[in-house]
Amino acid sequence: MLDAASALIGGSPLEFLVFTLLSTVAVVGGVGLLRLRVWGWRIVAAGLWLMLAATFVGLPYCLWTIFQEVREDPDGFNLFVIIVCIAVVMQLAFAGMTIGVMLRSLYGQRVREAVAANETLRRASSPLG
């Protein structure tokens, strides 16, 4: 069953398990953030920082790999390679801006105050004090 499920995403069973684990953590963090919990905020913030790092390391690595393949190819640069390179650069810019906006919002004053206020209310209403 794991092989069939991993074939749906076009990867190995290990990639499918990692994808499933990361997705589960992201959903749990999102639910925690929607409930204005500190742990949810921390999970979402860590996930966004990880995505930003992966974007700015992974996409240039992808370009480097393409250029290495093109150097060894007797045809050199062709239209497909140029289009792929442009798409990778655009994805780098778009993902960087999108994740940056999400991080700016997450670290913004309104979100931090809402999470802190909810945490204060939870502690005040807790029977353990």
Side-chain angles (χ1 to χ4, degrees), residues 26-112:
V27 168
V28 168
V31 168
L33 182 60
L34 286 173
R35 296 182 71 188
L36 297 175
R37 302 291 174 91
V38 173
W39 57 264
W41 183 90
R42 287 181 181 149
I43 290 173
V44 172
L48 285 173
W49 283 111
L50 183 65
M51 285 173 53
L52 190 64
T55 297
F56 283 106
V57 171
L59 290 177
Y61 176 74
C62 178
L63 280 176
W64 181 78
T65 305
I66 291 170
F67 287 131
Q68 296 304 316
E69 291 292 325
V70 167
R71 278 190 7 200
E72 296 172 4
D73 189 9
D75 293 335
F77 277 96
N78 57 25
L79 184 60
F80 178 73
V81 172
I82 293 170
I83 291 171
V84 168
C85 290
I86 291 170
V88 168
V89 170
M90 289 176 61
Q91 183 179 358
L92 180 64
F94 182 74
M97 286 187 304
T98 304
I99 296 169
V101 167
M102 287 189 289
L103 280 168
R104 182 174 181 221
S105 176
L106 191 64
Y107 282 94
Q109 183 178 359
R110 290 171 56 187
V111 172
R112 296 191 110 199

Side-chain angles (χ1 to χ4, degrees), residues 5-12 15:
S6 63
L8 289 174
I9 65 166
S12 69
E15 290 172 325

